Amino acid sequence: MYSKDEIELELQKLNDFGFLMENETISDIRNNLHSSEIWADVFWRRRENHSKRFDPEIQFIFDNNPKTILEIGTAYGRVLNKIAVENEKQTKKANLFGIEICKHCKKYFQAYSKKHPLLEKCNILFDDFLKGSNVHQKQFDVIVLSMNTFPSFPFSMLENLFSAVRKHLNPNGSWIFSTYKPKATDNKYNAKNLRKNYSGELLIELVKDIIAGEHYQFPAIKKDYGMQAITYSSYNRLTRDYKLKERQIYRNTREFINPDNLKKIINNNDFSIEFIDTSSHSAVYYLSMT
């Protein structure tokens, strides 16, 4: 949790930078970006940029011939479709499942499935993995958390994440997740290397409103476990003639845990590391339960 004083100090700096509009206050700041409608719209409109992304987790998913696979954070289905393509190459096909916290992604999953029909064979649930009691079935042979999503979980929620995975993972199953490698994290978020902390994007979809996004990233803060980075994002929904219809501001936190501390967290939560692959842009952790 963060104190009101901490956020007020951040807002003062954002005001100094000209990031906020006049009269915007702490009451305008939201913390639920990844379950919001605007996030579903934004993530969908980034799909062309994401289309050629390499997802290093996929190469390990079928190592032990799983019968059931669950992807956490399916969104509109980009990674799940890649898993489905690999699944078609297997002698024995696995049953594929996905869970996504943002219910507004459902319409985009349906749209993406029309172009990628393998997704129509997958089972998708729009619910919170940490809180949902009906996650398709009780247990899975493989659970995947891809796209460096792991740092998006607050440090205080990691125990809940591990607990939920244990609950839904078969005793001999595997949990695969990816996170940023330490050097990449330092280069991107360390104050000494942070030269450009402001960015923006214009997300245009035919016959749809225009979305203009602005992002301000504060230098990472050192923590006992690694680093913490705070980013503010404003999303402005515009008409086709660029008149403002809606504006929302979100505060996002990413937690970067150094490898030694992450290994301790893994062990303390009754998992063991089978291997760590660092050959790509991410560090992929392949875990089993102890």
Side-chain angles (χ1 to χ4, degrees):
M1 297 296 293
Y2 302 94
S3 70
K4 182 178 178 180
D5 290 342
E6 286 179 285
I7 298 179
E8 290 285 10
L9 183 59
E10 293 167 2
L11 295 189
Q12 182 57 57
K13 292 179 180 178
L14 291 174
N15 270 313
D16 294 342
F17 301 143
F19 184 85
L20 297 178
M21 288 186 173
E22 188 177 357
N23 298 325
E24 287 182 328
T25 67
I26 193 170
S27 63
D28 296 299
I29 308 303
R30 307 179 185 209
N31 295 295
N32 64 332
L33 174 61
H34 296 110
S35 61
S36 68
E37 182 176 10
I38 196 73
W39 174 248
D41 296 345
V42 165
F43 202 68
W44 172 249
R45 295 186 189 195
R46 291 174 179 170
R47 66 191 181 280
E48 294 301 325
N49 291 335
H50 291 168
S51 62
K52 296 182 180 179
R53 179 187 168 100
F54 174 63
D55 299 283
E57 309 86 2
I58 294 175
Q59 61 188 310
F60 306 114
I61 289 176
F62 295 94
D63 281 0
N64 295 314
N65 302 312
K67 295 180 181 178
T68 53
I69 300 168
L70 171 68
E71 185 207 5
I72 305 171
T74 299
Y76 59 81
R78 184 188 69 82
V79 174
L80 189 59
N81 181 64
K82 282 190 173 185
I83 296 172
V85 170
E86 291 300 314
N87 191 39
E88 289 298 300
K89 301 175 185 178
Q90 308 302 311
T91 303
K92 294 184 178 179
K93 308 294 188 291
N95 293 321
L96 305 185
F97 302 83
I99 186 166
E100 169 56 48
I101 192 172
C102 183
K103 297 180 180 180
H104 301 286
C105 285
K106 185 175 183 178
K107 61 183 177 182
Y108 296 127
F109 183 85
Q110 293 171 341
Y112 199 70
S113 297
K114 290 179 180 179
K115 293 187 176 182
H116 302 85
L118 289 178
L119 286 175
E120 295 178 356
K121 301 178 183 179
C122 302
N123 300 279
I124 180 73
L125 179 69
F126 292 91
D127 199 356
D128 186 343
F129 177 69
L130 301 187
K131 298 178 181 178
S133 57
N134 182 27
V135 186
H136 301 296
Q137 60 183 52
K138 188 175 181 181
Q139 293 179 319
F140 301 88
D141 294 329
V142 174
I143 295 179
V144 187
L145 182 64
S146 61
M147 282 192 69
N148 291 334
T149 305
F150 188 83
S152 297
F153 285 86
F155 187 79
S156 59
M157 290 180 62
L158 288 183
E159 186 172 339
N160 292 338
L161 174 62
F162 278 89
S163 176
V165 172
R166 282 199 311 273
K167 178 180 178 182
H168 295 292
L169 188 66
N170 281 333
N172 296 320
S174 304
W175 181 27
I176 304 169
F177 68 84
S178 58
T179 187
Y180 296 99
K181 293 189 287 191
K183 186 175 181 181
T185 302
D186 287 343
N187 287 340
K188 190 172 183 181
Y189 292 99
N190 195 306
K192 293 185 294 184
N193 298 315
L194 195 58
R195 296 180 180 179
K196 186 179 179 182
N197 50 12
Y198 172 80
S199 62
E201 55 185 335
L202 190 63
L203 300 160
I204 300 176
E205 194 93 353
L206 289 175
V207 305
K208 300 284 187 179
D209 292 335
I210 295 166
I211 298 176
E214 291 185 275
H215 314 284
Y216 189 89
Q217 178 183 291
F218 285 95
I221 303 168
K222 284 188 176 182
K223 297 289 183 178
D224 292 340
Y225 51 80
M227 294 194 301
Q228 180 190 83
I230 296 169
T231 301
Y232 279 81
S233 298
S234 71
Y235 289 106
N236 305 274
R237 200 181 291 273
L238 312 171
T239 64
R240 298 299 296 184
D241 56 353
Y242 290 89
K243 293 179 181 177
L244 182 63
K245 288 181 63 177
E246 178 187 16
R247 175 176 166 86
Q248 296 179 11
I249 307 168
Y250 294 89
R251 183 183 190 271
N252 305 295
T253 303
R254 288 185 180 180
E255 308 276 12
F256 303 101
I257 304 170
N258 67 50
D260 288 339
N261 283 333
L262 182 51
K263 290 175 183 177
K264 291 178 182 178
I265 292 170
I266 290 169
N267 291 331
N268 290 341
N269 283 277
D270 300 322
F271 281 87
S272 62
I273 300 172
E274 297 297 321
F275 64 83
I276 303 171
D277 181 87
T278 58
S279 61
S280 69
H281 55 77
S282 301
V284 179
Y285 284 73
Y286 191 105
L287 310 183
S288 62
M289 289 194 293
T290 55

